[in-house]
Every structure is written in structure tokens, then in C-alpha cells.
């Protein structure tokens, strides 16, 4: 008989083993990779077949084997490489295999993947038109099939051909029908003519360096550090051509859905076999894309971080564009993976080259390149030697002293007026959504917070308070719930309030907002960017999604508002985030023939991140920041693991965290630098009545730190959240 090892799809961390089931005769076709339904703990759950083997009927088992109930799909879903990747993810990120297997699904687990089919007619044999003298409809259908090769049954009505005519020809053996899957692709019609231009010497050097690795078909990592406008995308395209000529496939990752459309346009100008994967597509569309990839009809996969988890094989090149972007980190649910780390490991699986590209590389990867772990490729000049934009920092304290209480400085308003007068365009970055970012009582200082997570709520123009984490919506208070005062103050400025300020200062300007509140639907970002690129609007403003990757020739002016806001967060990455936003936003200006100008507004223009950002000098920023990171032993000089201990009883959560802290200090290898801090209340200290405390492990030996967690079975507990390489420390 056949038995199968099944990974049951349940969320309990304690369940880490596979379970053995009997394969009934009716499911003899099952192999590793199929999704199935199995009985488990008095209910049916879905699961993943990890292995199937034959055993003697007389073989005895500790428990009586239950039968697999049914197969979910019409074919195995997982390839051997997908299953190997899922195992690696579960091991590295210390989470159940069922969680990592779920990453490779396009939608809800346990459901049959929805598919659409159509009926197609084809000629079955040659025909003689003279045999159909009195059957004009039949000869019409036969002639159409001869000319076209096939005809969908849905097209019969428009050709005025009846089903009766079709049935007669089928019975006579002249035509046959077949059922064919319809593969939907929302990006099918998106194509532009390729732009022809010579590569610069620096672009050529980058291409040649990676070509050698592609030809060797061996893993090698590269960091492509090119200033904004230096032509990194064209390097990716040229290397994709080389990879496809070698018969291998390509994954292109972009951090934001907002950048997907532009990437697809660029690549579809040169390639026809492109599939797109991101979370705004429907489950059916993602499923169809997976099907095209599995069947070998796709050579290039483009998308956000989830594009890593498709059934693609024989990968020769992976590109992680804007590799520094925090959107590559999955934070909210296990596995809390970083796509940058996963992409590199997958490149090793495939023997592929991987390129990390950025104008502002993560300090982790820049340090690795300095140490020779990645090959550093530099493109320090823009294409055609266009200069980087001129940047000026405006001290907003001076604006206040001069009586200007607007979010817009006088210098920025003047730049915008000159830009519009010259029929040019501008982009403004304000990395805060909503109208007012804080609602506070002036009498006692109490802040309106989310009842679920305790974070400050944002006031929006719809008159409601919104929690951007939990999606909770509340009415704003008329009196302070803490002290009863009526002195409620709305503080801070978000993109909605900026919109009002722009309309007041520039009443004739055509303005367009782009943030999470204005970009619904799968093409929400693209519609906004297309309209702006077509110069239907003069000013595009919004959150960080306006600052990265966009190449719009009419943009000559950029404003960065509240540039130093990121520096107020208690995060060791604060300066890096601040520098990155300034540099990336400034890079949107002057990308064509016209020079660019940038105004950076801040209250602390002397901060190093502001100074180096305005100078657009990454290497000086890195030289300033890296020694500080080394002094306090933060990445890239260590790896971090954040453990969040949860319990409805705060004292129990804290006590358990202290117990683990003591064990870590007693057991870890003192020869390898490893430290543990905490417990401290988490940033969200109380989530829906559950208290949360953080232990932060800093380790120069990540494997040893992970081994400690395993030894204490923390990965099997539902009251401990494990985050490897977290973005924040609280």
C-alpha cells in the first residue's frame, strides 16, 4: 500500500512534525507536492503531501492510519525546488513548515484554485467544399477554422453560426472540441516600443562583470550602486537578454506595487514572456500567472516580494531593485522573512547571479561589498552626464520666526511657482498620511490612541480617527476622555492637510495625491503615475511611494517636507531612513535635459543625515554612520533577533522573558560576541488585551542564537513571536 507524509495546515507552532496517512486506491496518483484534505483532530483540514512511499501491507504503525480524504487541485502544486525552499524558510525563520508552504500559494489555503476554461473548435480532417453545397453555415465554419486554426465557442454567435451547425460537423467527424484553460493577464496589453540608446561605459562594465557569472552558471552576488538616473534598469534589461539567451529565467523584484507598472512597461518593451505577481491582483489572476510560469510560458517574473514564491525553475538571474527598501520585510505574520535574504538563498539554490541595486544601498549590503562578500559595481554618473539636482535645505524654525505657519516654506512655494510658470512639473514628499497625525488634549496631554494596539490614531479629512495598523475607525473626541477638557488640539500635518495648503498657495495648479488612501485597486498606482507622466497634472504629492524609481522627464522640482521626522523615532535605522528618503526623492528631479532643483524642509538642517542627504553623498554618509553602528554593536556588525513574549497577564509575560534572558546569558558562547537586552514593553505594549515584552538578541553568530531558541523550544510556543532581522528593536 501507499502512505504519504503530510504537512497539515494548522497554525499552532507546537505542531512541527509531518503526519502519516494512507493513500486510498482512488488517489493512487498522488505524489509529493499535491495539496490534499485530511482528517485531523476530529475535523478535516488541508495539508501538503511532502513524500509518498510504498510499504508492505503487513507494516505496523503506532497508530491506526487514517485515509487522505481528497486531492484539492487537478495537479501537484509544489515543485521539488519550492518544497526545498519552504523547508529552508521554516528552518531559518524558526516557524512551522505549514506557514512557509503557504507562501507559495496564490490565495486562500484549503480552497481549490479557481480556474476558467473555454471550449475551442478545431478541424479534425480535410474537407471538400463541394460536399456542403446546401450547408452554407457548415462550410462557413469549416473555412473559418481552416483560416484561423481554431475558434472559441464563445465566438460562434458573432459569426452567426448556431450550435446545431457545430454539432452536425462534430458528429460527422470534421471538427473536434477541446477544453482549454483561460489564462488571465491584466498586463497583457501593456507594451511600449523599446528606447534605443548606447550603454555608457559604466553600464557596459556592470553588464560585463555579471555576464561572466551568468556564463559560469554559478551563484555570485553583486551590489549595483548607481546614483539616481544612472541607468540601472537598462543594466537589468541587458542582463535579462543574456540570461534568456542562455535558456535560463529571471526574477525582477521591486519593493512597491507603485513601481510594478513602470518595471513591466520597461521589460515588456523588450520581452514578451513576462508574468506579474503582486498582492493587488486577484487570486484567480495570480493562479493563472503561476500556471503560465509552471508550464514554461514565462521567462521573466516581475513583482513585489511575493514574486519569489512562484513555481519558477532554472533561474539564472535575480534582481532586487531598490534593495534598501523596508517593504521587502514581512513584519506582521510568520514567517517574518526579508525578501533580500530569501532572494539570495534562492539564487544559491539555482546557481544564479543576484544583483542588489540601489542609489542608497542598505548599510548591511554596502558593508558586505566593502568586505568582498558582494562584488561592488559603481555607476556614479547619470546617463548623458546630466548633473544631479541642486539641493537646498530650508530651516523651518526660521519660517516660524518669520510668521509662516504653513507646511510650505516660502522658498518651496517660490520654486513651485517658477516650475509651473515654465510648464514643468514637481513632486512633493510628505511621509505621513491623513490630515493631522496626532489628536491631543491640551489640558492633560492625553493622545487619542487605538483601542486595539495603543498606537496614536490619525485624523483624516473624512472627520474620523483612523489606525493605520489595525484599520480601526473612530469618531474624534469632543471632550478629553481622561480629564474631561474640551481643549482638543489636532497636531501635525499629513498628506490631506498638505493638499489644502497647496490649493491655497497655488490655486491654479493641477495637483494629484498618491498615498495608500488614494491608490485602491490593482492599477491605482499606475493610473495616477500615467496621468502625471502625461502632464495632466502639475504637482504629484504623497508618501514615500512618490519618491522611488519613477522616471518622469517633466519633473524638474522636488520638495521634501518634514525631512527630519524620521530622526525622532527610537530606531537605530532612523538616520539611514532619513538619508535614503531625501536622496531618493531628490533623484526624481532633472532626469531629462532640464536641470533639477530640490527644497528639503527640516527643523534640524545640521543633522548628519540631512547634510549628507542634501549633498547626495552616500559614501560620506556611510563613512559617518558605520563607525557609530560598530560602536554600539548594531547591524551590519551583528544580526538581530527580536523575541516578543505575550500573555494576558503582564507579570507572567515579563517573568518568562527574564527567565530566557538569564538562560541566554548563562549558555551562549562567550567567545562569539552575543548580547541580550530587555525585557522592555513592545512598541505595541498591549494588543487587544494581550501584554507584550521584547527581548533583543544581538549576535555575531546567528546560527548559535537560533540554536539557543530551538534548544528552549521557543519556536514551538504560541506565546513567543520570533523576528529574525527585524526592522525595529521595540
Amino acid at each position: 500500500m501507499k502512505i504519504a507524509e503530510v504537512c497539515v495546515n494548522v497554525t499552532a507552532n507546537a505542531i512541527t512534525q509531518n503526519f502519516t496517512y494512507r493513500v486510498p486506491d482512488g488517489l493512487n496518483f498522488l505524489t509529493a507536492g499535491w495539496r490534499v484534505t485530511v482528517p485531523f483532530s476530529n475535523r478535516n483540514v488541508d495539508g501538503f503531501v511532502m513524500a509518498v512511499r510504498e510499504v508492505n501491507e503487513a507494516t505496523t504503525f503506532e497508530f491506526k492510519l487514517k485515509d487522505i480524504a481528497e486531492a484539492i487541485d487537478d495537479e501537484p502544486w509544489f515543485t521539488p525546488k519550492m518544497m526545498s525552499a519552504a523547508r529552508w524558510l521554516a528552518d531559518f525563520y524558526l516557524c512551522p513548515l505549514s506557514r512557509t508552504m503557504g507562501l507559495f500559494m496564490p490565495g486562500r489555503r484549503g480552497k481549490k484554485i479557481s480556474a476558467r476554461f473555454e471550449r475551442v473548435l478545431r478541424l479534425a480532417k480535410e474537407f471538400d467544399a463541394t460536399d456542403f453545397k446546401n450547408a452554407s453555415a457548415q462550410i462557413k465554419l469549416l473555412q473559418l477554422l481552416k483560416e484561423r486554426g481554431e475558434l472559441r465557442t464563445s465566438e460562434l454567435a458573432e459569426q452567426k453560426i448556431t450550435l446545431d451547425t457545430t454539432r452536425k460537423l462534430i458528429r460527422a467527424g470534421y471538427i473536434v472540441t477541446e477544453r482549454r484553460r483561460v489564462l488571465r493577464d491584466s498586463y497583457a496589453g501593456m507594451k511600449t516600443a523599446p528606447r534605443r540608446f548606447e550603454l555608457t561605459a559604466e553600464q557596459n562594465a556592470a553588464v560585463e562583470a555579471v555576464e561572466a557569472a551568468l556564463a559560469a552558471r554559478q551563484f555570485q552576488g553583486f551590489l549595483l550602486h548607481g546614483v539616481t538616473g544612472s541607468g540601472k534598469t537598462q543594466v537589468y534589461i541587458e542582463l535579462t537578454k543574456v540570461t534568456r539567451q542562455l535558456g535560463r529565467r529571471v526574477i525582477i523584484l521591486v519593493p512597491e506595487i507603485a513601481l510594478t507598472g513602470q518595471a513591466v512597461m520597461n521589460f515588456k518593451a523588450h520581452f514578451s514572456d513576462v508574468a506579474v505577481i503582486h498582492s493587488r491582483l486577484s487570486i484567480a489572476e495570480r493562479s493563472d500567472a503561476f500556471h503560465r510560469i509552471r508550464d514554461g510560458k514565462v521567462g521573466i517574473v516581475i513583482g513585489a516580494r511575493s514574486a519569489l514564491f512562484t513555481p519558477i525553475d532554472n533561474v539564472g538571474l535575480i534582481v532586487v531593485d531598490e534593495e534598501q527598501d523596508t517593504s521587502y520585510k514581512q513584519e506582521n505574520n510568520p514567517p517574518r522573512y526579508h525578501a533580500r535574504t530569501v532572494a539570495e538563498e534562492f539564487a544559491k539554490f539555482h546557481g544564479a547571479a543576484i544583483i542588489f541595486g540601489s542609489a542608497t544601498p542598505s548599510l548591511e549590503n554596502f558593508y558586505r561589498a566593502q568586505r568582498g562578500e558582494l562584488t561592488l559595481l559603481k555607476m556614479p554618473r547619470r546617463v548623458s552626464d546630466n548633473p544631479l539636482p541642486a539641493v537646498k535645505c530650508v530651516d523651518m524654525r526660521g519660517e516660524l520666526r518669520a510668521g509662516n505657519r504653513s507646511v510650505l516654506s516660502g522658498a518651496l512655494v517660490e520654486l513651485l511657482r517658477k516650475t509651473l510658470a515654465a510648464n514643468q512639473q514637481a513632486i512633493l514628499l510628505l511621509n505621513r498620511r491623513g490630515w493631522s497625525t496626532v489628536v491631543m488634549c491640551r489640558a492633560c496631554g492625553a493622545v487619542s490612541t487605538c483601542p486595539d494596539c495603543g498606537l496614536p490614531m490619525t485624523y483624516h479629512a473624512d472627520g474620523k480617527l483612523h489606525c493605520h495598523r489595525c484599520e480601526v475607525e473612530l469618531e474624534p473626541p469632543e471632550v478629553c476622555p481622561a480629564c474631561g477638557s474640551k481643549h482638543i488640539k489636532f497636531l501635525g500635518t499629513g498628506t490631506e492637510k498638505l493638499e489644502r495648503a497647496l490649493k491655497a498657495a497655488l490655486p491654479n495648479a493641477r495637483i494629484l495625491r498618491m498615498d495608500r488612501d488614494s491608490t485602491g485597486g490593482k492599477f491605482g498606482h499606475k493610473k495616477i503615475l500615467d496621468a502625471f507622466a502625461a502632464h495632466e497634472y502639475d504637482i504629484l504629492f504623497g508618501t514615500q511611494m512618490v519618491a522611488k524609481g519613477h522616471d518622469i522627464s517633466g519633473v524638474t522640482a522636488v520638495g521634501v517636507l518634514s525631512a527630519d521626522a524620521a530622526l525622532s523615532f527610537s530606531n537605530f535605522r532612523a538616520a539611514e531612513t532619513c538619508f535614503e528618503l531625501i536622496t531618493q526623492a531628490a533623484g526624481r528631479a532633472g532626469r531629462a535635459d532640464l536641470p533639477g532643483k530640490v527644497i528639503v524642509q527640516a527643523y534640524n538642517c545640521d543633522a548628519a543625515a540631512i547634510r549628507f542627504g542634501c549633498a547626495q553623498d552616500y559614501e560620506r554618509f556611510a563613512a559617518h554612520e558605520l563607525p557609530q553602528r560598530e560602536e554600539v554593536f548594531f547591524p551590519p556588525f551583528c544580526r538581530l533577533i527580536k523575541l516578543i513574549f505575550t500573555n494576558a497577564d503582564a507579570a507572567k509575560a515579563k517573568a518568562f522573558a527574564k527567565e530566557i534572558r538569564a538562560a541566554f546569558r548563562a549558555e551562549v558562547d562567550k567567545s562569539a560576541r552575543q548580547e541580550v537586552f530587555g525585557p522592555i514593553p513592545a512598541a505595541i505594549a498591549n494588543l487587544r488585551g494581550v501584554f507584550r515584552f521584547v527581548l533583543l538578541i544581538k549576535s555575531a553568530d546567528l546560527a548559535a542564537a537560533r540554536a539557543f531558541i530551538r534548544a528552549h523550544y521557543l519556536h514551538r510556543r504560541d506565546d513567543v513571536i520570533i523576528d529574525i532581522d527585524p526592522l525595529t528593536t521595540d
Side-chain angles (χ1 to χ4, degrees):
M1 69 174 178
K2 279 186 177 181
I3 61 171
E5 300 300 320
V6 177
C7 170
V8 293
N9 187 10
V10 293
T11 57
N13 288 344
I15 298 175
T16 58
Q17 78 274 28
N18 295 329
F19 292 85
T20 304
Y21 289 86
R22 196 179 78 87
V23 179
D25 292 341
L27 297 177
N28 257 333
F29 55 84
L30 289 179
T31 57
W34 280 81
R35 295 196 307 149
V36 293
T37 301
V38 295
F40 184 80
S41 185
N42 300 318
R43 61 193 173 107
N44 277 358
V45 300
D46 64 300
F48 313 105
V49 177
M50 306 306 295
V52 175
R53 68 180 190 273
E54 290 274 0
V55 296
N56 191 292
E57 290 282 351
T59 304
T60 59
F61 295 90
E62 186 177 353
F63 301 101
K64 182 181 178 182
L65 297 188
K66 297 178 181 179
D67 282 1
I68 293 175
E70 63 177 342
I72 293 176
D73 304 308
D74 299 321
E75 59 185 342
W77 186 261
F78 296 90
T79 66
K81 271 204 169 65
M82 291 164 77
M83 295 172 71
S84 295
R87 290 189 184 99
W88 176 84
L89 281 158
D91 177 68
F92 186 85
Y93 287 104
L94 301 170
C95 72
L97 180 61
S98 62
R99 292 278 197 174
T100 61
M101 294 289 283
L103 290 173
F104 295 85
M105 299 300 303
R108 294 185 302 275
R109 304 178 201 175
K111 301 291 184 183
K112 186 179 178 68
I113 302 301
S114 66
R116 182 185 298 170
F117 292 89
E118 63 184 1
R119 287 282 177 184
V120 178
L121 305 175
R122 299 183 191 278
L123 278 178
K125 63 181 180 181
E126 292 296 321
F127 64 92
D128 187 338
T130 59
D131 295 337
F132 297 90
K133 289 181 180 178
N134 298 319
S136 58
Q138 292 182 33
I139 194 63
K140 179 181 178 181
L141 176 55
L142 291 169
Q143 291 287 8
L144 277 171
L145 291 174
K146 185 175 182 179
E147 292 167 10
R148 297 188 185 183
E150 65 178 39
L151 195 70
R152 298 193 303 273
T153 55
S154 59
E155 297 177 286
L156 292 174
E158 64 187 61
Q159 296 293 335
K160 295 183 170 55
I161 297 171
T162 65
L163 287 175
D164 184 59
T165 297
T166 306
R167 292 190 190 102
K168 287 177 181 177
L169 289 171
I170 291 172
R171 285 196 296 269
Y174 283 100
I175 64 176
V176 292
T177 68
E178 67 179 51
R179 184 172 178 259
R180 183 174 67 186
R181 182 166 179 173
V182 178
L183 299 176
R184 290 148 287 191
D185 180 5
S186 296
Y187 290 84
M190 188 184 292
K191 193 169 183 179
T192 58
R195 291 186 291 176
R196 306 289 182 187
F197 52 83
E198 293 294 319
L199 294 181
T200 66
E202 291 160 354
Q203 286 174 317
N204 265 318
V207 169
E208 289 171 5
V210 183
E211 267 185 315
L214 294 174
R217 294 175 178 256
Q218 293 179 344
F219 167 78
Q220 188 171 348
F222 298 85
L223 176 60
L224 180 58
H225 180 199
V227 299
T228 55
S230 60
K232 294 184 288 295
T233 299
Q234 195 59 38
V235 170
Y236 305 152
I237 288 170
E238 294 302 317
L239 288 169
T240 298
K241 290 177 182 177
V242 174
T243 307
R244 297 299 292 134
Q245 287 164 4
L246 291 170
R248 306 194 77 191
R249 300 161 94 182
V250 179
I251 299 173
I252 307 291
L253 297 184
V254 294
E256 298 265 8
I257 295 172
L259 300 178
T260 305
Q262 184 167 299
V264 173
M265 293 283 281
N266 286 329
F267 276 82
K268 281 208 166 190
H270 299 270
F271 309 98
S272 59
D273 56 341
V274 174
V276 182
I277 299 289
H278 60 71
S279 60
R280 290 282 179 92
L281 298 176
S282 69
I283 293 172
E285 286 175 306
R286 277 178 276 163
S287 172
D288 289 347
F290 275 41
H291 192 84
R292 290 169 56 222
I293 294 166
R294 186 193 304 278
D295 284 1
K297 296 174 182 175
V298 168
I300 303 157
V301 175
I302 299 175
R305 62 180 186 243
S306 58
L308 283 170
F309 306 113
T310 68
I312 191 168
D313 207 347
N314 191 24
V315 176
L317 175 67
I318 299 177
V319 172
V320 185
D321 194 27
E322 304 291 356
E323 62 88 17
Q324 81 293 339
D325 201 286
T326 56
S327 299
Y328 283 124
K329 172 71 173 175
Q330 162 64 22
E331 288 193 279
N332 295 331
N333 298 300
R336 291 172 171 80
Y337 69 91
H338 201 304
R340 194 168 63 208
T341 303
V342 175
E344 186 166 344
E345 191 65 26
F346 285 11
K348 292 175 184 176
F349 287 167
H350 290 277
I354 185 167
I355 302 174
F356 299 104
S358 180
T360 56
S362 62
L363 287 174
E364 287 93 333
N365 270 346
F366 186 69
Y367 181 68
R368 292 178 68 207
Q370 287 182 326
R371 290 164 57 91
E373 295 175 29
L374 298 173
T375 301
L376 180 61
L377 308 172
K378 291 187 177 182
M379 297 200 303
R381 286 181 291 274
R382 283 183 159 186
V383 173
S384 303
D385 269 336
N386 291 337
L388 289 169
V391 183
K392 176 184 177 182
C393 188
V394 174
D395 190 334
M396 293 303 287
R397 294 173 298 181
E399 294 289 311
L400 284 173
R401 287 193 294 268
N404 179 14
R405 300 193 175 278
S406 169
V407 66
L408 301 169
S409 66
L412 181 53
V413 171
E414 181 62 22
L415 174 61
L416 293 174
R417 285 175 177 156
K418 289 180 178 178
T419 301
L420 270 58
N423 197 32
Q424 296 162 12
Q425 292 172 285
I427 290 177
L428 302 183
L429 165 66
L430 175 60
N431 203 24
R432 295 171 174 176
R433 291 161 58 196
W435 183 273
S436 296
T437 53
V438 176
V439 177
M440 186 182 77
C441 172
R442 286 187 296 174
C444 71
V447 172
S448 293
T449 56
C450 174
D452 283 356
C453 70
L455 292 179
M457 299 189 78
T458 300
Y459 180 72
H460 279 246
D462 63 3
K464 301 288 178 64
L465 295 175
H466 293 260
C467 175
H468 292 159
R469 183 192 183 280
C470 305
E471 306 299 331
V472 170
E473 181 182 298
L474 298 174
E475 295 291 335
E478 295 183 2
V479 298
C480 175
C483 72
S485 170
K486 293 184 178 180
H487 299 291
I488 305 297
K489 192 167 182 65
F490 295 79
L491 303 172
T493 296
T495 49
E496 292 176 347
K497 190 184 286 187
L498 172 59
E499 186 169 5
R500 184 183 71 171
L502 284 170
K503 288 177 178 178
L506 303 160
N508 296 320
R510 298 170 298 171
I511 63 175
L512 185 61
R513 174 163 59 95
M514 187 163 85
D515 56 24
R516 281 192 61 191
D517 301 313
S518 64
T519 53
K522 74 183 80 167
F523 293 122
H525 303 87
K526 186 178 184 301
K527 289 175 182 176
I528 288 174
L529 290 169
D530 285 351
F532 185 61
H535 209 153
E536 295 173 18
Y537 295 88
D538 304 307
I539 301 172
L540 175 67
F541 69 98
T543 52
Q544 63 178 349
M545 61 179 68
V546 306
K548 298 169 188 172
H550 312 306
D551 187 355
I552 298 172
S553 60
V555 175
T556 59
V558 164
V560 183
L561 286 68
S562 300
D564 50 351
L567 297 177
S568 64
F569 295 111
S570 58
N571 183 354
F572 73 97
R573 301 183 196 274
E576 186 176 5
T577 301
C578 177
F579 172 86
E580 171 206 327
L581 281 175
I582 292 172
T583 307
Q584 292 282 352
R588 300 314 109 209
R591 295 174 71 94
D593 297 330
L594 298 171
K597 292 184 178 179
V598 180
I599 297 291
V600 174
Q601 296 183 178
Y603 288 91
N604 183 7
C605 292
D606 294 327
I610 302 287
R611 288 189 287 108
F612 294 129
C614 290
Q616 299 166 87
D617 192 333
Y618 177 85
E619 294 199 358
R620 283 179 64 201
F621 170 73
H624 177 272
E625 185 72 8
L626 282 171
Q628 296 187 49
R629 294 274 188 96
E630 185 173 23
E631 183 178 349
V632 294
F633 193 46
F634 267 115
F637 301 97
C638 73
R639 299 287 285 272
L640 300 180
I641 301 179
K642 182 165 68 175
L643 303 175
I644 303 179
F645 296 79
T646 68
N647 200 299
D649 185 324
K652 288 182 179 178
K654 193 171 185 178
F656 185 36
K658 286 181 176 180
E659 178 186 324
I660 296 300
R661 179 189 65 188
F664 186 87
R665 289 174 175 170
E667 298 171 22
V668 297
D669 182 3
K670 301 297 190 296
S671 63
R673 191 173 179 190
Q674 301 192 83
E675 301 173 0
V676 62
F677 299 90
I680 62 169
I684 301 174
N686 186 327
L687 180 61
R688 301 183 185 94
V690 176
F691 293 92
R692 297 151 53 95
F693 288 87
V694 169
L695 278 187
L696 184 70
I697 295 174
K698 297 180 180 181
S699 179
D701 186 347
L702 182 62
R706 288 167 50 239
F708 169 84
I709 291 170
R710 277 202 192 86
H712 287 266
Y713 301 101
L714 299 183
H715 63 306
R716 294 191 178 185
R717 299 183 64 112
D718 292 324
D719 59 352
V720 179
I721 296 169
I722 301 171
D723 190 352
I724 294 174
D725 298 327
L727 295 180
T728 60
T729 58
D730 56 5

